[in-house]
Amino acid sequence: MHGMRMPAARRGFYARRSTTLGALLALCAGLLFLNAPAAQAAPPTPPSAATARSYLASLTVRAEGSSDGYSRDKFPHWTTVSGTCNTREVVLKRDGSNVVQDGSCAATSGSWYSPYDGATWYAASDVDIDHVVPLAEAWRSGASSWTNARRQSFANDLSIAQLIAVTDNVNQAKGDKDPAEWMPPRTAYHCTYARMWVWVKHSYGLSVDSAEKSRLGSVLNGC
């Protein structure tokens, strides 16, 4: 009925109903947020690209050393962190979502998002714990002269971004390659990966070869 005004009482009723509906919608949104899956956990956050560039500039540049004498056994892992939990199990719990562990600390359920390739897995057997700077790469970059105790610390270090849960096949494709030879298939992760790599090498005083430094510098300059 054009030209007719709604009585004040009815206008008040609809205004109250609209306000109530808005409050209910807001409450529902809040409940959905509370029930949303927890954010994916991750290794410690690496330094900014600017800091990583300064770390990279400070690293010793030299040709990669020999693999002679290398053995994974010279980097003892996985060591016990607490109770029955070793480093691998701690990383699986840290990097996964809704991870359930049994009395031996083995992950029996949960999900794992691999930032290297964007895949999500629901069995711990599909996930590897990657050493961001591979053990053999570390050996050729200075770790061959370390004590076994220092190599053990390197192989189990949870304080920096050296360990990360990723798709097993992707980790196996990486092998012991450095960034001049291999980068994660998911290009969106390249900046983070380069920052992690440089952080680890800086923390342990490891060297870089010229191709490795060039590739890292190129990635970090694009961050």
Side-chain angles (χ1 to χ4, degrees):
M1 293 181 291
H2 299 292
M4 294 184 64
R5 290 176 58 82
M6 184 184 296
R10 288 184 64 79
R11 289 201 305 273
F13 168 77
Y14 282 109
R16 287 193 301 274
R17 195 168 78 169
S18 177
T19 300
T20 302
L21 181 60
L24 285 171
L25 288 172
L27 177 62
C28 289
L31 289 173
L32 286 172
F33 176 79
L34 289 173
N35 290 326
Q40 180 70 31
T45 302
S48 67
T51 299
R53 285 193 291 270
S54 71
Y55 285 173
L56 180 61
S58 73
L59 295 179
T60 298
V61 181
R62 62 168 170 249
E64 199 164 84
S66 170
S67 293
D68 290 351
Y70 167 73
S71 166
R72 288 179 67 85
D73 293 340
K74 293 182 178 178
F75 293 80
H77 64 288
W78 306 106
T79 57
T80 299
V81 177
S82 64
T84 59
C85 300
N86 66 28
T87 313
R88 171 183 163 80
E89 290 150 350
V90 169
V91 176
L92 281 172
K93 177 74 170 178
R94 181 197 69 188
D95 290 3
S97 295
N98 302 315
V99 177
V100 175
Q101 296 171 309
D102 64 19
S104 300
C105 209
T108 57
S109 64
S111 65
W112 291 268
Y113 172 77
S114 168
Y116 283 6
D117 58 336
T120 298
W121 302 98
Y122 297 91
S125 58
D126 291 322
V127 177
D128 276 356
I129 306 305
D130 180 39
H131 288 96
V132 172
V133 174
L135 304 182
E137 163 68 20
W139 178 269
R140 298 189 295 264
S141 302
S144 60
S145 65
W146 293 351
T147 63
N148 265 21
R150 182 161 173 78
R151 287 193 288 262
Q152 177 174 309
S153 175
F154 176 83
N156 297 274
D157 198 334
L158 295 166
S159 68
I160 57 175
Q162 164 65 340
L163 300 170
I164 184 171
V166 297
T167 301
D168 55 1
N169 291 343
V170 173
N171 183 48
Q172 289 151 26
K174 171 184 173 178
D176 63 356
K177 301 179 182 73
D178 70 29
E181 305 162 313
W182 186 92
M183 290 289 283
R186 182 169 161 259
T187 56
Y189 202 67
H190 284 190
C191 181
T192 302
Y193 185 78
R195 289 159 53 208
M196 293 163 70
W197 182 283
V198 171
W199 190 21
V200 174
K201 286 222 159 176
H202 171 78
S203 298
Y204 281 88
L206 295 169
S207 63
V208 289
D209 63 46
S210 56
E212 175 189 353
K213 182 176 182 179
S214 176
R215 177 64 170 140
L216 288 164
S218 176
V219 172
L220 291 171
N221 286 335
C223 290

